[in-house]
Amino acid sequence: MPVLPSSLTEPLWAQFATLLPNRPEFDPTHPLGCHRRRIPDRVVFDLVLAALVHGSGLERIAVPGCSDRTIRRRLHAWAAAGIGHDVFAQALVAYDTMIGLDLTDVSVDGSITKAVGGGECAGRSPVDRGKGGTKRSVLVDAAGIPLHVEIAGANCHDSPLLAPTLAGLSALGPLPEQVTVHLDAGYDSKNTRALLMELGLQGRIAIKGVKAPIQVGKRWPVERTHAWMNGFGKLRRITERSRAVVQFYTDLAAAITVLRRLVNEARKRYRWPGRPTTRRLR
């Protein structure tokens, strides 16, 4: 059974494949003029998706025709080339073209997950007895579509991550005349208000000491988006030590999240061959 429905994997691969460099089937630098055939990128891509969804180690998802070393080499090469970020950006362009991003109300929040192997994105988690953890700061629109993701150690406070997270708005083209940023009480500070004023954004920040249900505002979409992204095993329990690889997995998960929402919304407005009949794409 595939880890994701074909209505998600096929358009994702179509965009992913356009970003891959052209490589010959055989290595032209081999002294004998021959070598083992290069394993197709599509085979490795499907195995990387399986690792992302299930959170399994690469040695567990390797198949007889593709070893875990091959998957790891290809994964690191794709991560170094920034392909995950480019696919995420293209998914956002597709969603904005067909459905439209609602940028009048955006929200930002962080989520801490386990980082059992340590590494460049790990820090002492304040909510897990000081064990290794990673913080994911996400910017979403009014419908919960992820717009930008920043990763850091779990010991990094939400406030310092706000500026680089909001920087993702600059890549989305013209913004509405008034953009309201919804934040929880963890951002209630003078520095946050000064940053929003500098960026020309309105802020609706929960006040410290007041219970959340009374002042929940429109922060719930970002909480739901974190739940969507925590459905990927590699993001719930990070085992990679390289920042580039962790960012690749995060961007790929965000791209899949955007595509899932795009298909769900488009199926109500458009008709196309192979249109999914189920209302919920897992």
Side-chain angles (χ1 to χ4, degrees), residues 112-131:
I112 296 178
T113 57
K114 294 179 180 294
V116 295
E120 301 173 354
C121 302
R124 288 177 57 87
S125 175
V127 297
D128 194 16
R129 298 170 291 173
K131 296 181 180 179

Side-chain angles (χ1 to χ4, degrees), residues 54-127:
H54 297 311
S56 305
L58 299 183
E59 68 281 355
R60 291 184 178 273
I61 64 170
V63 296
C66 184
S67 68
D68 59 311
R69 294 183 180 181
T70 299
I71 302 173
R72 183 169 285 106
R73 284 196 299 268
R74 209 75 61 92
L75 175 62
H76 280 262
W78 293 346
I83 295 180
H85 177 269
D86 295 338
V87 170
F88 180 25
Q90 290 182 0
L92 282 176
V93 171
Y95 184 94
D96 192 24
T97 302
M98 297 184 65
I99 308 299
L101 295 170
D102 187 356
L103 301 178
T104 55
D105 290 285
V106 300
S107 51
V108 179
D109 198 11
S111 175
I112 296 178
T113 57
K114 294 179 180 294
V116 295
E120 301 173 354
C121 302
R124 288 177 57 87
S125 175
V127 297

Side-chain angles (χ1 to χ4, degrees), residues 171-198:
L172 300 177
L175 298 177
E177 294 184 1
Q178 182 174 348
V179 179
T180 303
V181 183
H182 299 265
L183 304 168
D184 64 14
Y187 299 91
D188 186 15
S189 67
K190 295 181 179 179
N191 293 335
T192 297
R193 292 180 174 83
L195 173 64
L196 295 178
M197 184 176 297
E198 178 183 351

Side-chain angles (χ1 to χ4, degrees), residues 267 274-281:
R267 63 183 300 275
R275 171 176 170 268
T277 57
T278 179
R279 295 183 178 179
R280 186 174 183 181
L281 298 175

